[in-house]
């Protein structure tokens, strides 16, 4: 299993309606990209200070399947339309869970 985790801190001007639009866009990805094995995402619940605002955790059968997702036009459109230019910080990691 190959896991991709990405976290965002939104720009100060990103409102709840925009975060919902991001959520809706991300919700569309599993139906559009067959290589996604499991896909979870959502807002930080605010239990601890200093956290990122939003996380995506995506699982794939292989690194190659992740690359298909990463470069897929529907995924790229969600990034372009809803995420790019609206984040103050981004952190990501990919890990092979077979190790």
């Amino acid at each position: 299993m190959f896991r991709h985790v990405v976290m965002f801190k939104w720009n100060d001007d990103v409102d709840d309606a925009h975060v919902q639009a991001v959520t809706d866009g991300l919700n569309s990805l599993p139906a559009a990209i067959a290589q996604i094995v499991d896909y979870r995402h959502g807002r930080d619940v605010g239990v601890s200070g200093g956290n990122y605002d939003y996380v995506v955790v995506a699982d794939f059968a292989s690194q190659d399947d992740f690359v298909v997702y990463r470069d897929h036009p529907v995924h790229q459109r969600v990034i372009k339309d809803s995420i790019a230019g609206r984040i103050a910080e981004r952190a990501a990691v990919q890990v092979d869970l077979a190790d």
Side-chain angles (χ1 to χ4, degrees), residues 2-83:
F2 190 86
R3 180 166 287 165
H4 166 64
V5 179
V6 62
M7 300 178 298
F8 307 116
K9 287 189 180 186
W10 301 115
N11 289 338
D12 291 339
D13 61 345
V14 171
D15 61 14
D16 287 342
H18 185 80
V19 175
Q20 185 59 53
V22 171
T23 297
D24 295 344
L26 294 173
N27 282 340
S28 74
L29 297 182
I33 306 171
Q35 289 78 6
I36 296 172
V37 173
D38 192 45
Y39 202 72
R40 313 280 175 143
H41 57 92
R43 297 174 188 230
D44 180 67
V45 296
V47 173
S48 300
N51 289 352
Y52 280 75
D53 299 319
Y54 203 94
V55 68
V56 177
V57 180
D59 290 336
F60 306 90
S62 68
Q63 181 176 337
D64 290 341
D65 285 353
F66 163 73
V67 171
V68 170
Y69 159 82
R70 182 194 68 197
D71 298 340
H72 195 282
V74 176
H75 178 234
Q76 288 299 311
R77 186 173 57 242
V78 170
I79 292 170
K80 180 181 176 229
D81 292 349
S82 300
I83 297 170

